[in-house]
Amino acid sequence: MQPCIQKVAVLGAGTWGAALALTASCAGRDVILWTHTDEEAEAVRRTRHSVKSSSGRPLPLGVAVTSDIKLLSGADLVLVVVPSMAVRGAARMLANAGLPPDTPVVSCSKGIEKDTHLRMSEILGENLPNPIGVLSGPNHAEDVCEGRPSVSLVGFKCLELADAVQNALSTNVFRIYSSTDLVSMELGGAIKNVFAIAAGICEGLGLGANAKAALVTRGLAEMTRIGIANGGRPETFMGLSGMGDLIATCYSHHSRNLCAGLAIAAGKTPAQAERDAGMVVEGLPNTLSSYQLARRDQVRTPIIDVMYDILYRGKPPIVALNELMDRGLRAERIEDN
């Protein structure tokens, strides 16, 4: 029997956290939104918007806002919506929040932890006895907050739990599909950020539509290769959390990763590009983690490799592009090229 999910706690009041709190409220759930400080909580209560943006529909008055982590203990579902580098700290906080061990916890953060190569659900699972799931897909928070039609994917090892969360959060403008392939969902959601920065560089250098289409297509092949090496299913990468997310983030100027790539193409350093964004650019740490993961698994990833050279070794983008294009010719296969 599916668990009854009526009260949803959202950990993190950034743009995506506020968007999911809004969606859960529109789906008829009782919602509590947690943010880090009393000052942030008061600001969100006053403005009814996230701590990062005042655009889009305001949060309904019924959405409670708090900075007290223990108030999340009565939730039937917890959504963790913090930057990937903050997930480990969030997991430790939740471990001390008095959350019942059968309450589902869903990672809505996209990343791979540096050096450990752990996915976000694995970090949560290390710290919590709860069933851990993932929400991922081609979802820009701005569109969700405006009520534009969006589709996402929720995954748990137990399909019944995935179906329960799917039913609890879906609305007539936010449709959710279910899956059990957490590996592919998370790797697709993290690695696509690398190609989004590359897409911004491609656009900023004026390389044209052909180049960007090639980048996205070959990027999909690289993320699929890494996924297969880690036990993921290839077909998941063809879906919402793979191809869908890749297209959304490589073509929309809502994407802070694409905008960072534009800034880098204009001559700014990665650090300057992130400062200009005013928010975490997940593709920067994701590039390092993806590069490390590919080397560990001995997976061939030429685009990830040149992005690592650009972002971490200071190689000029045009030099990296020339090296990428001058490689030896190969057959088109996902498995080994």
Side-chain angles (χ1 to χ4, degrees):
M1 188 175 70
Q2 287 187 7
C4 178
I5 297 175
Q6 181 52 43
K7 185 173 182 179
V8 176
V10 179
L11 188 74
T15 51
W16 188 219
L20 289 175
L22 176 63
T23 295
S25 181
C26 291
R29 309 302 151 204
D30 301 324
V31 181
I32 182 167
L33 177 63
W34 178 91
T35 190
H36 190 66
T37 67
D38 293 340
E39 292 76 16
E40 288 180 350
E42 178 54 36
V44 175
R45 281 194 289 266
R46 184 179 67 256
T47 65
R48 309 310 297 175
H49 286 284
S50 83
V51 295
K52 296 292 186 181
S53 173
S54 60
S55 62
R57 294 174 295 168
L59 291 168
L61 293 176
V63 173
V65 184
T66 185
S67 58
D68 185 350
I69 194 70
K70 293 191 181 298
L71 294 183
L72 276 57
S73 62
D76 304 312
L77 171 69
V78 177
L79 307 179
V80 178
V81 200
V82 298
S84 60
M85 62 281 295
V87 167
R88 186 170 291 278
R92 289 168 177 158
M93 283 194 300
L94 278 176
N96 296 316
L99 198 66
D102 59 347
T103 301
V105 176
V106 177
S107 168
C108 306
S109 305
K110 298 175 180 179
I112 304 164
E113 190 173 48
K114 184 170 73 76
D115 299 329
T116 70
H117 311 128
L118 293 176
R119 295 175 282 112
M120 299 298 101
S121 69
E122 292 177 310
I123 294 172
L124 292 172
E126 275 190 350
N127 291 272
L128 298 166
N130 306 70
I132 306 296
V134 173
L135 180 77
S136 187
N139 306 135
H140 287 301
E142 294 83 355
D143 282 356
V144 174
C145 286
E146 292 288 354
R148 298 189 179 105
S150 300
V151 181
S152 198
L153 184 66
V154 67
F156 277 86
K157 290 179 181 178
C158 170
L159 186 59
E160 189 175 51
L161 266 180
D163 290 344
V165 176
Q166 174 189 43
N167 290 327
L169 298 181
S170 290
T171 72
N172 63 344
V173 293
F174 192 74
R175 179 179 175 85
I176 302 178
Y177 289 80
S178 59
S179 175
T180 57
D181 187 7
L182 276 67
V183 172
S184 301
M185 288 178 64
E186 290 190 277
L187 290 179
I191 298 171
K192 57 89 184 177
N193 289 326
V194 181
F195 305 119
I197 296 179
I201 292 173
C202 181
E203 185 175 324
L205 294 177
L207 301 183
N210 291 355
K212 186 181 277 193
L215 166 69
V216 170
T217 306
R218 299 312 304 159
L220 179 63
E222 291 189 18
M223 70 163 65
T224 303
R225 259 180 247 144
I226 294 175
I228 292 171
N230 284 273
R233 300 197 295 263
E235 62 269 22
T236 305
F237 288 94
M238 303 302 123
L240 291 166
S241 62
M243 181 184 293
D245 204 358
L246 185 63
I247 291 171
T249 198
C250 286
Y251 282 88
S252 172
H253 281 242
H254 284 317
S255 167
R256 69 192 71 163
N257 293 288
L258 182 140
C259 292
L262 287 169
I264 290 166
K268 294 192 175 181
T269 67
Q272 288 170 333
E274 186 164 47
R275 281 198 299 271
D276 289 350
M279 291 184 281
V280 174
V281 177
E282 294 279 16
L284 297 176
N286 287 173
T287 296
L288 175 57
S289 298
S290 299
Y291 177 81
Q292 291 177 338
L293 193 61
R295 301 289 72 73
R296 184 197 72 182
D297 297 333
Q298 298 184 320
V299 175
R300 197 164 186 277
T301 53
I303 301 173
I304 291 173
D305 296 353
V306 299
M307 288 304 299
Y308 175 79
D309 286 344
I310 291 169
L311 299 179
Y312 287 91
R313 291 176 173 164
K315 182 171 287 187
I318 197 66
V319 174
L321 170 69
N322 290 335
E323 291 177 358
L324 195 60
M325 294 297 288
D326 284 342
R327 291 175 301 129
L329 303 178
R330 305 177 68 87
E332 185 183 40
R333 291 192 299 271
I334 286 178
E335 290 83 359
D336 63 356
N337 74 318

